Amino acid sequence: MAPDEEYQLTPAGRRERIGQIVRLVKKYRVWDNLTPVRLRRLLEELGPMFVKMGQILANRSEILPQRFCDELRRLRSDVEPVPYEVVLRCLEEEYGLRLGEMFDAIDPNPLGSASLAQVHRARLVTGEDVAVKVQRPGAQQVMAQDIDIIRSVVRIVSKFVNTDQFVDLHGVVEELWTSFREETNFLAEAKNLNDFYEFHKSVHGVTCPKSYLDLCTEHVVVMDYVDGISIADPERLVAEGYDLEKIGAAIVEDYSTQVLDDGFFHADPHAGNIILKDGIVYFIDLGMVGRMSSHDRGIVKDMIFAVAEGDVPKLKDSLMRFAVTRGDSAELDHSAFLSDLDFIVADFAGLDLKDLDIGEFLTSLLNLARKNDVELPSVVTMFARGMVTLEGLLTEYMPNVNMIQIIQTHIKNEKSTYARMREMSRDFAASSYRAAKGSLEAAEYLGLASRMLTRGQLKVNTQIMSSDKALRQLGGIIDRMSMAIVIAGLFIGSSVVYYARIEPVVFGIPVIGFMGYVSALVLALMLGRNIWLNSHGGKH
């Protein structure tokens, strides 16, 4: 279903939303010495989508000054809360008369208020202590409207400016849309919580709240309540006797397991999404998760070691195993691609893995791929963003934790050979099944084609797949051949008229023949000029 139909987006609604944005921009005078506080308040008033953008920018000190990043971090959980009466009304709309049958009590004071949702502590009628995450009313509609406006702006800008060399705006918008669909569907988050919980059943010291799936809806998540301490409060953690370095090491080790072993990882591991209780690390807010196949995980490891070893061809091969070109694959300039990779390796090669900044490395690779029109799977972008976010968390709260050294050790001591072989066998079996199924379907179609051929019912539709340049060259050749045939025809026809001595004549040549000779001469000169320009690289 198209976004316009699914979220009932209309031209009138778009105009009204654009008007709101313009009025808020004027209100906060973004052109007049914008301060960090004014920027934060502007993003809060603009709505969930802009708050989400602010949260992303909070970790990008290379884009914004540090004082802006520090202020934007408040957007993680310090957003203006929704009134309790509105929260109750939202719950009543979701559950109807069942609300009183499900909840014995709901705390009117929110545990946290973010751009998209608000969390309240509650007690079920069966006695369980739970946290209820309620989506802000209208947030889904506003976010869909904002993305629709951004998509329209990008479509217009792309007609006049080629931005793909430094940022794939279309790709960014589509990734934003995909992320929006995942984050605003709370049923998906409830399932993610349970999947994460199952993956960590045998893990000591790391888990997540478990959701009550039968009580969850598209706009409400009900999960176990965890009265923990946020990683964003290091002073309190130290006062409670926690060792920040050990906590950081445990988080990185588990994140390595999530990405490199399980292939199911938290895609937004910022400080507000990690809490501690009784020595156990809890990952919360699993609205955004990444899923990576064992094949992709192997490529990630190869890329990390290729850079550490300074092996440019191996890095290029690993990257191309991930990638598909956005245009024609034949258009990829492999020489230029290798040359660009040389610059990246020059910055990172020779470093010990423990000194490698993996977030910066992955960001550099993503920018390089975009520059060369090579498109990487969205999970790679998600993984890179998660690593950058985790690095920012460690840098701010646990600077003594060496993330890369932990990942290096993890790779060396990863799952047993038996476990890896079992996983590879499972993937191979799935691939073999798909291949066998495809072969059987191909055989079936081949038999059908043979029967149609014997009955004279087979029609063949052929399409030449090539670059536009090659097709233009082929068209030019055909045009010149056609022109040469026309010129020859004019010359031969004029000669016949000449020998027939048809009246009237001019310069001793019949007028019709004279006109034919002149036309043939003019066309021949034009054809010769066209061929000369084409052979010397000119336009034609």
Side-chain angles (χ1 to χ4, degrees):
M1 184 182 294
D4 289 1
E5 299 174 1
E6 185 175 0
Y7 297 99
Q8 300 179 345
L9 306 180
T10 63
R14 185 183 294 112
R15 288 192 296 270
E16 181 181 353
R17 178 58 178 161
I18 292 174
Q20 291 175 355
I21 294 172
V22 170
R23 286 192 294 274
L24 286 171
V25 167
K26 289 181 179 179
K27 174 183 175 181
Y28 285 95
R29 308 190 314 278
V30 297
W31 58 86
D32 182 22
N33 191 27
L34 185 65
T35 65
V37 173
R38 274 168 44 204
L39 175 60
R40 175 180 59 79
R41 290 177 178 171
L42 170 63
L43 295 177
E44 284 179 346
E45 286 202 46
L46 283 171
M49 182 55 62
F50 292 90
V51 170
K52 179 62 65 177
M53 293 168 63
Q55 291 171 346
I56 294 172
L57 287 172
N59 293 315
R60 303 300 298 272
S61 57
E62 75 277 13
I63 298 177
L64 290 177
Q66 189 60 46
R67 59 195 183 94
F68 279 84
C69 293
D70 293 340
E71 183 65 29
L72 291 181
R73 285 194 180 96
R74 296 183 59 188
L75 292 172
R76 291 172 180 166
S77 58
D78 292 346
V79 179
E80 187 69 24
V82 175
Y84 178 62
E85 294 75 16
V86 176
V87 172
L88 282 182
R89 188 162 61 248
C90 291
L91 290 172
E92 287 171 353
E93 290 176 359
E94 289 295 317
Y95 297 118
L97 297 176
R98 296 176 56 215
L99 181 61
E101 300 172 0
M102 294 165 53
F103 297 101
D104 183 50
I106 300 176
D107 189 342
N109 300 311
L111 296 170
S113 180
S115 59
L116 182 59
Q118 190 161 298
V119 182
H120 288 257
R121 186 176 181 178
R123 186 173 61 251
L124 299 179
V125 291
T126 50
E128 291 90 345
D129 207 6
V130 297
V132 182
K133 182 176 180 179
V134 184
Q135 192 171 121
R136 285 175 174 262
Q140 197 174 43
Q141 178 80 11
V142 172
M143 291 178 78
Q145 184 74 79
D146 287 346
I147 296 177
D148 183 59
I149 292 171
I150 294 171
R151 182 185 281 127
S152 300
V153 171
V154 168
R155 189 163 50 243
I156 295 171
V157 170
S158 298
K159 292 180 180 178
F160 303 97
V161 182
N162 181 15
T163 61
D164 285 351
Q165 290 300 315
F166 55 90
V167 59
D168 177 14
L169 289 179
H170 293 283
V172 169
V173 173
E174 293 313 310
E175 184 181 341
L176 200 61
W177 176 254
T178 302
S179 173
F180 154 72
R181 294 294 299 272
E182 292 176 355
E183 286 194 83
T184 55
N185 183 359
F186 282 5
L187 272 176
E189 179 177 349
K191 294 174 183 176
N192 291 339
L193 283 166
N194 285 354
D195 288 345
F196 194 93
Y197 182 86
E198 289 298 321
F199 271 116
H200 285 77
K201 265 189 172 180
S202 60
V203 177
H204 176 70
V206 180
T207 187
C208 76
K210 189 175 181 181
S211 69
Y212 293 75
L213 203 54
D214 57 328
L215 303 182
C216 298
T217 71
E218 188 177 344
H219 303 107
V220 177
V221 179
V222 180
M223 69 196 97
D224 289 328
Y225 171 69
V226 180
D227 185 16
I229 306 172
S230 171
I231 292 294
D233 192 357
E235 292 83 4
R236 185 179 170 192
L237 288 172
V238 172
E240 293 288 332
Y242 286 105
D243 185 326
L244 295 182
E245 191 168 340
K246 287 184 179 180
I247 293 171
I251 292 171
V252 174
E253 173 62 30
D254 185 74
Y255 202 72
S256 301
T257 301
Q258 293 176 37
V259 174
L260 301 174
D261 294 345
D262 299 333
F264 177 78
F265 61 93
H266 196 303
D268 191 21
H270 64 72
N273 284 340
I274 304 176
I275 60 178
L276 277 96
K277 180 183 180 182
D278 300 330
I280 298 176
V281 176
Y282 287 83
F283 282 85
I284 60 175
D285 192 359
L286 273 86
M288 289 178 59
V289 298
R291 299 177 188 271
M292 192 180 295
S293 68
S294 59
H295 170 266
D296 291 346
R297 300 197 296 273
I299 297 176
V300 169
K301 298 171 191 175
D302 289 344
M303 289 167 61
I304 294 173
F305 281 106
V307 172
E309 296 165 2
D311 191 339
V312 177
K314 182 178 179 182
L315 176 60
K316 186 242 182 185
D317 290 342
S318 297
L319 194 61
M320 291 308 297
R321 283 161 61 198
F322 253 140
V324 291
T325 54
R326 287 204 295 267
D328 185 348
S329 59
E331 295 292 326
L332 177 63
D333 189 336
H334 292 266
S335 177
F337 195 33
L338 280 170
S339 178
D340 289 340
L341 282 172
D342 277 329
F343 285 105
I344 291 181
V345 173
D347 289 335
F348 295 100
L351 294 176
D352 190 280
L353 274 182
K354 64 182 177 62
D355 298 319
L356 175 64
D357 185 336
I358 194 170
E360 183 181 350
F361 161 56
L362 289 170
T363 301
S364 299
L365 282 183
L366 293 176
N367 292 335
L368 168 64
R370 187 176 297 118
K371 175 186 174 184
N372 286 273
D373 277 343
V374 172
E375 185 176 354
L376 298 175
S378 59
V379 69
V380 180
T381 308
M382 194 175 289
F383 164 61
R385 188 168 57 226
M387 295 300 289
V388 171
T389 302
L390 189 58
E391 275 190 329
L393 180 153
L394 296 174
T395 300
E396 183 173 2
Y397 302 110
M398 304 160 189
N400 295 325
V401 176
N402 192 315
M403 182 168 74
I404 299 304
Q405 194 170 35
I406 296 172
I407 293 176
Q408 177 189 21
T409 304
H410 180 90
I411 292 175
K412 290 179 178 178
N413 302 322
E414 60 181 342
K415 289 180 177 178
S416 67
T417 303
Y418 171 75
R420 289 198 302 272
M421 289 297 293
R422 185 176 58 185
E423 187 176 78
M424 291 175 63
S425 298
R426 186 167 58 248
D427 290 343
F428 177 74
S431 299
S432 299
Y433 170 75
R434 289 193 296 269
K437 183 179 179 183
S439 299
L440 290 173
E441 290 176 351
E444 181 182 349
Y445 288 132
L446 182 60
L448 177 61
S450 299
R451 290 194 296 273
M452 293 177 67
L453 180 62
T454 57
R455 297 179 182 181
Q457 298 174 325
L458 184 65
K459 295 181 180 180
V460 179
N461 183 15
T462 304
Q463 182 178 8
I464 299 175
M465 301 301 293
S466 183
S467 66
D468 292 340
K469 182 179 179 181
L471 290 175
R472 286 197 300 270
Q473 288 176 343
L474 179 60
I477 293 171
I478 295 173
D479 289 344
R480 288 193 291 273
M481 290 178 64
S482 301
M483 185 64 72
I485 294 172
V486 171
I487 292 170
L490 285 171
F491 183 79
I492 294 171
S494 299
S495 298
V496 172
V497 171
Y498 172 75
Y499 286 109
R501 297 296 179 180
I502 299 175
E503 299 289 342
V505 298
V506 59
F507 301 121
I509 305 173
V511 173
I512 296 176
F514 180 78
M515 293 173 61
Y517 281 130
V518 171
S519 299
L521 177 63
V522 171
L523 291 175
L525 291 173
M526 290 174 60
L527 179 60
R529 179 177 179 274
N530 182 280
I531 293 172
W532 186 87
L533 287 175
N534 187 62
S535 63
H536 288 76
K539 294 182 178 180
H540 58 283

